[in-house]
mmCIF file of all heavy atoms in Angstrom:
data_model
loop_
_atom_site.group_PDB
_atom_site.id
_atom_site.type_symbol
_atom_site.label_atom_id
_atom_site.label_comp_id
_atom_site.label_asym_id
_atom_site.label_seq_id
_atom_site.Cartn_x
_atom_site.Cartn_y
_atom_site.Cartn_z
ATOM 1 N N VAL A 160 5.679 2.309 -7.616
ATOM 2 C CA VAL A 160 5.283 1.745 -6.320
ATOM 3 C C VAL A 160 6.446 2.063 -5.345
ATOM 4 O O VAL A 160 6.150 2.738 -4.262
ATOM 5 C CB VAL A 160 5.335 0.216 -6.395
ATOM 6 C CG1 VAL A 160 5.216 -0.435 -5.021
ATOM 7 C CG2 VAL A 160 4.110 -0.238 -7.322
ATOM 8 N N ARG A 163 9.069 -1.884 -1.158
ATOM 9 C CA ARG A 163 9.162 -3.387 -1.307
ATOM 10 C C ARG A 163 7.981 -4.093 -0.741
ATOM 11 O O ARG A 163 7.503 -5.045 -1.303
ATOM 12 C CB ARG A 163 10.455 -3.776 -0.660
ATOM 13 C CG ARG A 163 10.696 -5.353 -0.736
ATOM 14 C CD ARG A 163 12.154 -5.663 -0.590
ATOM 15 N NE ARG A 163 12.717 -5.216 0.598
ATOM 16 C CZ ARG A 163 13.034 -5.900 1.679
ATOM 17 N NH1 ARG A 163 12.788 -7.197 1.636
ATOM 18 N NH2 ARG A 163 13.639 -5.326 2.795
ATOM 19 N N PRO A 207 16.764 1.514 -21.147
ATOM 20 C CA PRO A 207 18.142 1.070 -21.375
ATOM 21 C C PRO A 207 19.017 1.582 -20.076
ATOM 22 O O PRO A 207 18.740 2.350 -19.329
ATOM 23 C CB PRO A 207 18.650 1.882 -22.632
ATOM 24 C CG PRO A 207 17.361 2.279 -23.243
ATOM 25 C CD PRO A 207 16.319 2.555 -22.170
ATOM 26 N N THR A 208 20.177 0.834 -19.955
ATOM 27 C CA THR A 208 21.099 1.140 -18.977
ATOM 28 C C THR A 208 22.418 1.256 -19.582
ATOM 29 O O THR A 208 22.795 0.628 -20.535
ATOM 30 C CB THR A 208 21.096 0.200 -17.827
ATOM 31 O OG1 THR A 208 22.044 0.475 -16.798
ATOM 32 C CG2 THR A 208 21.566 -1.233 -18.427
ATOM 33 N N LEU A 217 25.765 -7.834 -13.102
ATOM 34 C CA LEU A 217 24.907 -8.846 -13.787
ATOM 35 C C LEU A 217 25.538 -9.960 -14.449
ATOM 36 O O LEU A 217 25.134 -11.151 -14.250
ATOM 37 C CB LEU A 217 24.026 -7.979 -14.756
ATOM 38 C CG LEU A 217 23.173 -8.804 -15.632
ATOM 39 C CD1 LEU A 217 21.881 -9.122 -14.811
ATOM 40 C CD2 LEU A 217 22.659 -7.873 -16.834
ATOM 41 N N ALA A 218 26.682 -9.684 -15.057
ATOM 42 C CA ALA A 218 27.299 -10.757 -15.956
ATOM 43 C C ALA A 218 28.032 -11.850 -14.984
ATOM 44 O O ALA A 218 28.169 -12.941 -15.359
ATOM 45 C CB ALA A 218 28.357 -10.127 -16.784
ATOM 46 N N ASP A 256 12.829 -2.147 -27.319
ATOM 47 C CA ASP A 256 11.902 -1.095 -27.268
ATOM 48 C C ASP A 256 11.550 -0.466 -28.541
ATOM 49 O O ASP A 256 12.370 0.114 -29.263
ATOM 50 C CB ASP A 256 12.530 -0.101 -26.184
ATOM 51 C CG ASP A 256 11.423 0.930 -25.848
ATOM 52 O OD1 ASP A 256 10.320 0.958 -26.352
ATOM 53 O OD2 ASP A 256 11.765 1.771 -24.958
ATOM 54 N N ILE A 263 1.231 11.750 -37.277
ATOM 55 C CA ILE A 263 0.287 12.164 -38.456
ATOM 56 C C ILE A 263 0.969 13.294 -39.112
ATOM 57 O O ILE A 263 1.043 14.421 -38.602
ATOM 58 C CB ILE A 263 -1.031 12.652 -37.793
ATOM 59 C CG1 ILE A 263 -1.683 11.448 -36.976
ATOM 60 C CG2 ILE A 263 -1.907 13.034 -39.042
ATOM 61 C CD1 ILE A 263 -2.923 11.927 -36.246
ATOM 62 N N LEU A 268 2.593 12.395 -31.720
ATOM 63 C CA LEU A 268 1.778 12.228 -30.471
ATOM 64 C C LEU A 268 2.241 11.205 -29.674
ATOM 65 O O LEU A 268 2.165 10.056 -30.032
ATOM 66 C CB LEU A 268 0.304 12.097 -30.855
ATOM 67 C CG LEU A 268 -0.285 13.219 -31.793
ATOM 68 C CD1 LEU A 268 -1.653 12.790 -32.321
ATOM 69 C CD2 LEU A 268 -0.481 14.472 -31.005
ATOM 70 N N GLU A 345 9.488 -14.702 -25.784
ATOM 71 C CA GLU A 345 8.926 -14.853 -24.438
ATOM 72 C C GLU A 345 7.927 -13.632 -24.089
ATOM 73 O O GLU A 345 6.949 -13.915 -23.305
ATOM 74 C CB GLU A 345 9.954 -15.008 -23.272
ATOM 75 C CG GLU A 345 10.834 -16.140 -23.419
ATOM 76 C CD GLU A 345 11.966 -16.138 -22.361
ATOM 77 O OE1 GLU A 345 11.697 -15.619 -21.301
ATOM 78 O OE2 GLU A 345 12.978 -16.639 -22.687
ATOM 79 N N VAL A 364 -0.128 -9.710 -27.694
ATOM 80 C CA VAL A 364 0.415 -9.178 -26.429
ATOM 81 C C VAL A 364 0.404 -10.246 -25.338
ATOM 82 O O VAL A 364 -0.674 -10.893 -25.162
ATOM 83 C CB VAL A 364 -0.343 -7.920 -25.925
ATOM 84 C CG1 VAL A 364 0.011 -7.544 -24.561
ATOM 85 C CG2 VAL A 364 -0.074 -6.771 -26.966
ATOM 86 N N ALA A 369 1.408 -2.309 -15.281
ATOM 87 C CA ALA A 369 0.688 -1.301 -14.546
ATOM 88 C C ALA A 369 1.305 -1.135 -13.221
ATOM 89 O O ALA A 369 1.941 -2.003 -12.651
ATOM 90 C CB ALA A 369 -0.733 -1.857 -14.351
ATOM 91 N N TYR A 382 -10.187 8.814 -16.276
ATOM 92 C CA TYR A 382 -10.114 7.742 -17.314
ATOM 93 C C TYR A 382 -11.506 7.119 -17.394
ATOM 94 O O TYR A 382 -12.155 6.909 -16.289
ATOM 95 C CB TYR A 382 -9.084 6.721 -16.996
ATOM 96 C CG TYR A 382 -7.666 7.191 -17.349
ATOM 97 C CD1 TYR A 382 -6.987 8.066 -16.563
ATOM 98 C CD2 TYR A 382 -7.149 6.704 -18.524
ATOM 99 C CE1 TYR A 382 -5.709 8.371 -16.800
ATOM 100 C CE2 TYR A 382 -5.790 7.155 -18.928
ATOM 101 C CZ TYR A 382 -5.123 7.946 -18.036
ATOM 102 O OH TYR A 382 -3.832 8.347 -18.315
ATOM 103 N N LEU A 391 -3.244 6.085 -1.715
ATOM 104 C CA LEU A 391 -2.062 6.666 -1.069
ATOM 105 C C LEU A 391 -2.347 8.157 -0.857
ATOM 106 O O LEU A 391 -2.608 8.834 -1.811
ATOM 107 C CB LEU A 391 -0.916 6.357 -1.898
ATOM 108 C CG LEU A 391 0.430 6.864 -1.376
ATOM 109 C CD1 LEU A 391 0.843 6.216 0.012
ATOM 110 C CD2 LEU A 391 1.644 6.659 -2.345
ATOM 111 N N ILE A 436 -2.872 28.480 -3.256
ATOM 112 C CA ILE A 436 -2.810 29.893 -3.616
ATOM 113 C C ILE A 436 -2.004 30.066 -4.906
ATOM 114 O O ILE A 436 -0.802 29.634 -4.986
ATOM 115 C CB ILE A 436 -2.181 30.810 -2.596
ATOM 116 C CG1 ILE A 436 -3.235 30.740 -1.305
ATOM 117 C CG2 ILE A 436 -2.143 32.219 -2.958
ATOM 118 C CD1 ILE A 436 -2.749 31.514 -0.155
ATOM 119 N N VAL A 480 -2.594 1.014 6.563
ATOM 120 C CA VAL A 480 -3.836 0.923 7.383
ATOM 121 C C VAL A 480 -4.771 -0.104 6.775
ATOM 122 O O VAL A 480 -5.124 -0.124 5.690
ATOM 123 C CB VAL A 480 -4.485 2.213 7.444
ATOM 124 C CG1 VAL A 480 -5.877 2.111 8.225
ATOM 125 C CG2 VAL A 480 -3.611 3.281 8.047
ATOM 126 N N GLY A 482 -8.120 -1.726 7.962
ATOM 127 C CA GLY A 482 -9.260 -1.617 8.922
ATOM 128 C C GLY A 482 -8.725 -0.905 10.239
ATOM 129 O O GLY A 482 -8.271 0.281 10.172
ATOM 130 N N PRO A 489 9.057 0.470 5.350
ATOM 131 C CA PRO A 489 9.990 1.378 4.626
ATOM 132 C C PRO A 489 9.659 1.518 3.186
ATOM 133 O O PRO A 489 9.300 0.628 2.480
ATOM 134 C CB PRO A 489 11.335 0.832 4.849
ATOM 135 C CG PRO A 489 11.160 -0.620 4.969
ATOM 136 C CD PRO A 489 9.823 -0.781 5.653
#
Side-chain angles (χ1 to χ4, degrees):
V160 175
R163 180 155 58 104
T208 182
L217 176 73
D256 188 352
I263 304 173
L268 300 171
E345 296 177 29
V364 170
Y382 283 80
L391 180 64
I436 296 175
V480 176

